[in-house]
C-alpha cells in the first residue's frame, strides 16, 4: 500500500491542527512557527489540487473553482474577525476587499504578465474576454467601494440600508451575468490563446506584426491526460479542506499578526492586507505557474475572477451578515484609496486593450501594488 503524498497529508495535518489550536489560543513562538509551516504547506497543497480540478473540468471553469472557493472562505474570515475581535472592525470588510482587488489586479496580473513576457517574449491573451472581466471588476469596485463615500443620505462612508441592498443585488446580478458569459455564452473568449510557432516576432520598428487569438483547449495541450473523475473529486475535497485550513490557521495567527502590527506602529488596515495576501496565495502561485506555461489567459482569468468574486460575493454576504453584526459597516474608500483604484483601473485598461503585453506592463502593475502596500503602512 503506497504512502499518501504530501499534497494529501499536508491539508489533513493542517485541518487537524486547526481544531485544538482554535480553542487553545497558542502564544508560544515555537507553536506559532509550526502552525505557520502548516499554513504554507496547506497553501501549496491547495494550488496542486486546484490545478488537478482545473485540468479535469477545463477552462474557464477551472479558474472559477479556486476564485469562488477562496472568496467563500474570505467571507467567513471577515465575519469571524468582526465577531471575535474587540477592536474597531467597521472598515475591515472594505480594507480586505480593497486589498484583494489591489493584490489581484496589480499583483497577480503584474507578476503573471512579467513572467509570461520574460519567458515567451510577449504575454498574449484575449482582450475581448479579459476586457469584459476588467469592466465588471471596475463597475463592482466603484458601486461598492467608491459610491459610499459620495452618497449623502447617511453621514460617513456608509450606505443606508436601501443603498446597501441595491449594491448587494447589483453585485450578484453582475457576477451572475459574467459567469454566464464566461462559462456558457462566450466561453471561447476566456480560453488560452496562442500565436503559433511561425508568427512574426515584434521588432523595434514595430511595423506589420500581428498575432492571431486562437482559442486552445487546455486538455489538448499534448501534456498528461486529464485526471479521472475519482482523482478530480478527491482533489476537490482536499482543495476545500486546504482552504478551510488556510483561513483557520490565518485566523489563529491573526492575534500575533495584530500584535506585531501594533508593535510596529502600523495602521490596522495592514492586518487586512496580510490576511488578503495569505488567502490569495494559492491563486497567485497557480497564476504564475500558468503564465510560465504560456497560458497567460488562465492567469488573468484567475486574477480578475478573484477580484470580481471578492466584491460580487463578499459584499452581498457581508450585507446579510450586517443584519446581526453590531456597529456601522464602512464600505467607502478614502481619497488615497480612491486615487489608487482610479490609477489601477486606467493602467489595467491600457494593459488589456492590445491583447498582448511586454514585461514593462507587468512591472507597472507591480509598482502600483508596491505603492499600495507602502501607502497602507505609511498613509
Amino acid at each position: 500500500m503506497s504512502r499518501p503524498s504530501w499534497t494529501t497529508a499536508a491539508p489533513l495535518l493542517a485541518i487537524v491542527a486547526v481544531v485544538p489550536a482554535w480553542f487553545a489560543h497558542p502564544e508560544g513562538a515555537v507553536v506559532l512557527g509550526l502552525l505557520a509551516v502548516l499554513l504554507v504547506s496547506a497553501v501549496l497543497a491547495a494550488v496542486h489540487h486546484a490545478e488537478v480540478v482545473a485540468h479535469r473540468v477545463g477552462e474557464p471553469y477551472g479558474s472559477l473553482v479556486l476564485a469562488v472557493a477562496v472568496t467563500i472562505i474570505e467571507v467567513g474570515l471577515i465575519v469571524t474577525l468582526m465577531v471575535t475581535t474587540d477592536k474597531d472592525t467597521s472598515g475591515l470588510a472594505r480594507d480586505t476587499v480593497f486589498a484583494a482587488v489591489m493584490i489581484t489586479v496589480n499583483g497577480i496580473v503584474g507578476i503573471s504578465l512579467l513572467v509570461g513576457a520574460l519567458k515567451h517574449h510577449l504575454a498574449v491573451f484575449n482582450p475581448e474576454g479579459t476586457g469584459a472581466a476588467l469592466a465588471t471588476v471596475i463597475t463592482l469596485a466603484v458601486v461598492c467601494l467608491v459610491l459610499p463615500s459620495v452618497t449623502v443620505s447617511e453621514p460617513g462612508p456608509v450606505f443606508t440600508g436601501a443603498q446597501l441592498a441595491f449594491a448587494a443585488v447589483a453585485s450578484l446580478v453582475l457576477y451572475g451575468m459574467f459567469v454566464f458569459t464566461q462559462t456558457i455564452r462566450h466561453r471561447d473568449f476566456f480560453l488560452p490563446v496562442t500565436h503559433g510557432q511561425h508568427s512574426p516576432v515584434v521588432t523595434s520598428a514595430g511595423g506589420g506584426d500581428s498575432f492571431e487569438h486562437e482559442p486552445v483547449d487546455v486538455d489538448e495541450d499534448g501534456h498528461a491526460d486529464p485526471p479521472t473523475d475519482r482523482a478530480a473529486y478527491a482533489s476537490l475535497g482536499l482543495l476545500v479542506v486546504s482552504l478551510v485550513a488556510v483561513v483557520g490557521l490565518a485566523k489563529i495567527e491573526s492575534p500575533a499578526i495584530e500584535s506585531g502590527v501594533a508593535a510596529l506602529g502600523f495602521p490596522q488596515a495592514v492586518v487586512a492586507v496580510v490576511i488578503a495576501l495569505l488567502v490569495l496565495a494559492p491563486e497567485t502561485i497557480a497564476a504564475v505557474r500558468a503564465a510560465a506555461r504560456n497560458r497567460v489567459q488562465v492567469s488573468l482569468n484567475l486574477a480578475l475572477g478573484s477580484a470580481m468574486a471578492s466584491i460580487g460575493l463578499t459584499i452581498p454576504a457581508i450585507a446579510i451578515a450586517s443584519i446581526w453584526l453590531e456597529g456601522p459597516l464602512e464600505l467607502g474608500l478614502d481619497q488615497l484609496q480612491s486615487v489608487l483604484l482610479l490609477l489601477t483601473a486606467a493602467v489595467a485598461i491600457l494593459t488589456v486593450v492590445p491583447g498582448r503585453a511586454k514585461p514593462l506592463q507587468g512591472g507597472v502593475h507591480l509598482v502600483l501594488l508596491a505603492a499600495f502596500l507602502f501607502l497602507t503602512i505609511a498613509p
Side-chain angles (χ1 to χ4, degrees):
M1 183 170 151
S2 61
R3 296 180 180 178
S5 65
W6 74 268
T7 55
T8 299
L12 296 178
L13 289 174
I15 200 69
V16 169
V18 165
V19 178
W22 187 276
F23 297 101
H25 306 291
E27 296 180 355
V30 175
V31 176
L32 289 174
L34 291 175
L35 292 177
V37 171
L38 287 176
L39 175 59
V40 174
S41 300
V43 167
L44 297 176
V47 173
H48 168 78
H49 293 299
E51 290 183 338
V52 172
V53 175
H55 191 56
R56 178 58 187 169
V57 301
E59 285 299 319
Y61 301 100
S63 298
L64 289 173
V65 172
L66 191 55
V68 175
V70 168
T71 303
I72 293 173
I73 302 301
E74 179 185 345
V75 171
L77 179 58
I78 293 174
V79 173
T80 300
L81 288 175
M82 293 180 73
V83 171
T84 58
T85 187
D86 56 356
K87 298 181 180 179
D88 181 20
T89 58
S90 58
L92 178 63
R94 173 201 61 209
D95 292 338
T96 305
V97 170
F98 181 61
V101 171
M102 297 300 288
I103 291 168
T104 52
V105 178
N106 285 322
I108 300 180
V109 169
I111 194 170
S112 297
L113 294 178
L114 186 63
V115 169
L118 286 176
K119 191 167 184 179
H120 304 285
H121 185 70
L122 282 176
V124 184
F125 51 89
N126 194 324
E128 295 169 300
T130 307
L134 179 61
T136 308
V137 170
I138 293 173
T139 301
L140 285 169
V142 171
V143 169
C144 296
L145 301 178
V146 176
L147 291 185
S149 296
V150 296
T151 54
V152 296
S153 299
E154 191 82 13
V158 298
F159 274 144
T160 64
Q163 291 169 340
L164 183 59
F166 170 80
V169 172
S171 297
L172 289 174
V173 169
L174 278 174
Y175 187 74
M177 290 175 62
F178 176 79
V179 170
F180 176 79
T181 300
Q182 185 185 33
T183 59
I184 299 175
R185 187 68 174 179
H186 296 290
R187 181 175 178 269
D188 54 317
F189 289 161
F190 300 90
L191 295 177
V193 298
T194 181
H195 53 268
Q197 295 180 346
H198 302 292
S199 296
V201 177
V202 176
T203 63
S204 58
D209 298 318
S210 62
F211 285 77
E212 263 185 35
H213 296 286
E214 178 188 348
V216 176
D217 191 338
V218 179
D219 292 338
E220 298 177 358
D221 56 4
H223 295 167
D225 292 334
T228 62
D229 288 341
R230 180 178 179 180
Y233 282 123
S235 285
L236 180 61
L238 288 170
L239 170 62
V240 174
V241 171
S242 299
L243 292 173
V244 172
V246 167
V247 177
L249 291 171
K251 170 62 178 69
I252 293 166
E253 297 277 354
S254 63
I257 295 174
E258 290 180 346
S259 299
V261 168
L264 293 171
F266 293 161
Q268 188 67 17
V270 174
V271 176
V273 174
V274 173
I275 298 294
L277 286 169
L278 288 173
V279 174
L280 289 170
E283 290 175 301
T284 303
I285 298 173
V288 172
R289 286 181 174 179
R293 294 195 298 265
N294 205 18
R295 289 185 173 82
V296 176
Q297 185 65 54
V298 176
S299 303
L300 299 184
N301 288 348
L302 278 169
L304 297 178
S306 300
M308 194 183 311
S310 184
I311 308 173
L313 298 181
T314 300
I315 297 302
I318 295 299
I320 296 173
S322 67
I323 297 174
W324 70 82
L325 291 175
E326 298 181 359
L329 180 63
E330 296 184 358
L331 291 179
L333 302 176
D334 58 29
Q335 280 188 323
L336 176 58
Q337 292 171 323
S338 297
V339 169
L340 287 172
L341 180 62
L342 176 63
L343 182 56
T344 295
V347 170
I349 291 171
L350 295 175
T351 297
V352 166
V353 167
R356 55 187 183 177
K358 300 178 286 295
L360 174 62
Q361 280 98 326
V364 171
H365 281 280
L366 290 176
V367 167
L368 284 176
L369 175 65
F372 159 70
L373 295 174
F374 175 75
L375 293 174
T376 300
I377 296 173

